[in-house]
Amino acid sequence: MHISEGFLSPQVLAAGWVAAGVGTAIGLKKLDPDKIVRVAVFSSVFFLASLINVPIGPSSTHLSLLAPMGLVLGWSVFPAVLVALLLQTVLLQFGGLLVLGVNTVNMALPGLIVYLLFSSRVRRGNAASSFAAGFLAIMLGALGVGTALSLSDPEMAGAAKVVFAAHLPLALVEGAVTFFMAGFLKKAAPDILN
Amino acid sequence: MRILRIDVFDPRCRVLCALLLAGALAAARSLPGLLTGCAVPVVLFFAKGSKDLIKNLLHVNALTIAVWLVLPLTAPSGWLAGLELAFLVTCKLNLISVTLIRMVAELGIEQIDSVLIWCRVSEKMRVLLLLTARYVFLLRDRLGTMTRAIRLRAPGLRGKPLYAAFACMLGTTLIHSSDRAERSMLALNCRGGMKGFSQCRPLNWRFQDTLLCAFFAANAAAVVAVSL
């Protein structure tokens, strides 16, 4: 899901920073100061969870948890993702600083979209919506990655399609994890989803 | 062997210089442009012990294997154009990564926070960054223990039961974290709230910082000029 340094054109990088800046500004404005610690703790949980490798067929992948993050954090997903990605860049050298804006948009926007589309249904315990939220968030993220690559260089258009298709198994896994996680939270701590 | 002390420069200068050069390298569309800008990253590579940096670069370059396989097969202009692009992207990736790791990532969170204060980034954002960094280290062990527990108790778990186990583990961590966040917020409020949570470290811009900025700006301009 991360785009590394060197792939994107300056125009796409600049557009990514503008979009991430707008999203983060709105997210921070809507963030109640009393909830900052909660957002920070959740952000760190998602940061750490994304480092866990989960077997998928003969291979393994790491979870992105875009949908659970969106469903739990709402608009705060933008600052939370920006901070988590900045820490990943500084501590682990995943992604990069120039591409931080584009990566933030690619990961936070799908989270926000699934929050706006599915949060009320997930809160009511609709299992299909939980799965759909997890699946859709990953595919939207992959679409964002593909679009950024295609816009940067027309020669990358074919590779962008490969990237999009390669995210399909991960989307199914994320759909399943979101489905089970939403069910668990609905039973054990429904206030977290509110 | 240490041949250059980057640490003597002001953090603001390091971030500014790194972004200038990295931006110019990202804009380069040809090999001559990249060659013009490669001297500084090469010097930075050897500026300190390179063991950790090489490890990081190996990690970063793992992705480039896929790039070298996919781009020649999918480039609309043919496999040669794909190979050229893969080579260009690999060079850019390494040069930009070395520059940013050495100049920015090695500053550490506390100095990056000082730079963010100087950039007038909102206090909410800075507090969020510091708290997230703190909780990453606090929760890392807990999540690691739970993951080990799942793998020990059911090493052969696959498919749906495995995903359910991971989802419940993450859900449990979220619930515990939520309780912890409420207690932390209470403690913070008892100590006077968020105001002044993040204190600016003294920064000292000197003449050598101005010189370094001028050098990086000239280098970045040369990269852009050659690339055009």
Side-chain angles (χ1 to χ4, degrees):
Chain A
M1 194 67 78
H2 290 87
I3 302 179
S4 297
E5 303 285 11
F7 284 85
L8 303 180
S9 67
Q11 294 87 337
V12 174
L13 292 173
W17 271 109
V18 170
V22 171
T24 306
I26 297 172
L28 285 174
K29 199 173 176 190
K30 285 180 179 271
L31 176 61
D32 180 355
D34 285 347
K35 300 277 181 199
I36 289 184
V37 182
R38 196 178 156 111
V39 173
V41 175
F42 284 175
S43 180
S44 52
V45 171
F46 288 117
F47 171 98
L48 291 166
S50 68
L51 303 178
I52 299 171
N53 274 318
V54 175
I56 171 170
S59 178
S60 73
T61 184
H62 70 89
L63 298 173
S64 301
L65 300 176
L66 303 187
M69 210 169 172
L71 292 170
V72 169
L73 295 175
W75 270 97
S76 304
V77 72
F78 259 98
V81 166
L82 181 61
V83 161
L85 289 179
L86 178 62
L87 287 176
Q88 284 198 349
T89 306
V90 173
L91 301 176
L92 309 168
Q93 278 80 51
F94 287 176
L97 278 177
L98 289 183
V99 287
L100 194 59
V102 174
N103 282 337
T104 301
V105 175
N106 285 342
M107 297 182 83
L109 195 59
L112 181 65
I113 290 172
V114 298
Y115 164 73
L116 296 173
L117 288 178
F118 297 108
S119 67
S120 56
R121 272 174 272 186
V122 169
R123 256 178 302 195
R124 286 200 300 269
N126 188 326
S129 294
S130 308
F131 180 84
F135 182 85
L136 186 69
I138 295 298
M139 293 321 286
L140 285 173
L143 185 69
V145 171
T147 309
L149 289 174
S150 303
L151 288 174
S152 291
D153 195 327
E155 296 288 343
M156 288 193 196
K161 287 175 196 159
V162 174
V163 167
F164 183 77
H167 277 83
L168 199 61
L170 176 63
L172 292 169
V173 172
E174 288 266 345
V177 170
T178 310
F179 165 78
F180 289 119
M181 209 170 154
F184 178 84
L185 288 176
K186 174 93 177 98
K187 278 184 208 158
D191 58 305
I192 287 183
L193 288 172
N194 295 327
Chain B
M1 193 178 72
R2 182 172 289 202
I3 56 170
L4 176 72
R5 279 185 60 92
I6 314 166
D7 306 338
V8 299
F9 294 103
D10 188 279
R12 293 167 292 180
C13 164
R14 285 173 63 171
V15 172
L16 198 63
C17 290
L19 292 179
L20 265 174
L21 186 61
L25 289 169
R29 312 292 299 169
S30 65
L31 205 55
L34 285 181
L35 283 174
T36 313
C38 76
V40 171
V42 169
V43 171
L44 287 172
F45 182 86
F46 292 106
K48 279 182 174 182
S50 308
K51 203 175 157 189
D52 287 340
L53 183 61
I54 290 171
K55 212 166 82 180
N56 287 331
L57 285 179
L58 283 175
H59 185 92
V60 166
N61 276 286
L63 174 78
T64 57
I65 299 167
V67 172
W68 280 84
L69 288 173
V70 172
L71 276 178
L73 295 174
T74 56
S77 308
W79 65 272
L80 200 60
L83 272 181
E84 273 177 30
L85 186 60
F87 182 68
L88 196 71
V89 164
T90 308
C91 291
K92 278 166 123 179
L93 174 68
N94 284 287
L95 293 174
I96 296 173
S97 296
V98 169
T99 308
L100 291 177
I101 290 172
R102 277 284 193 244
M103 299 288 281
V104 183
E106 287 182 3
L107 278 174
I109 301 294
E110 65 284 356
Q111 287 200 315
I112 290 176
D113 180 50
S114 298
V115 176
L116 292 179
I117 291 174
W118 176 69
C119 295
R120 298 182 190 280
V121 171
S122 104
E123 190 170 17
K124 270 186 189 172
M125 189 72 197
R126 286 185 286 109
V127 170
L128 191 61
L129 173 71
L130 294 180
L131 285 172
T132 308
R134 179 178 159 188
Y135 285 115
V136 162
F137 292 109
L138 278 174
L139 294 171
R140 185 178 53 182
D141 294 339
R142 181 188 169 81
L143 215 56
T145 309
M146 290 179 87
T147 312
R148 266 197 306 280
I150 288 180
R151 295 205 166 119
L152 279 172
R153 286 163 67 186
L157 214 58
R158 285 280 180 277
K160 200 174 139 187
L162 177 78
Y163 303 139
F166 270 110
C168 291
M169 177 193 79
L170 292 170
T172 309
T173 314
L174 270 185
I175 293 169
H176 282 280
S177 307
S178 176
D179 295 342
R180 182 176 200 135
E182 274 169 31
R183 288 199 305 275
S184 302
M185 195 64 228
L186 204 63
L188 274 171
N189 282 337
C190 289
R191 285 182 301 212
M194 290 291 181
K195 199 75 185 162
F197 179 82
S198 153
Q199 302 285 330
C200 185
R201 280 84 184 162
L203 297 170
N204 183 18
W205 186 283
R206 288 172 295 178
F207 182 63
Q208 63 190 40
D209 298 310
T210 310
L211 277 181
L212 190 75
C213 277
F215 174 69
F216 268 74
N219 202 340
V223 173
V224 174
V226 172
S227 298
L228 287 176

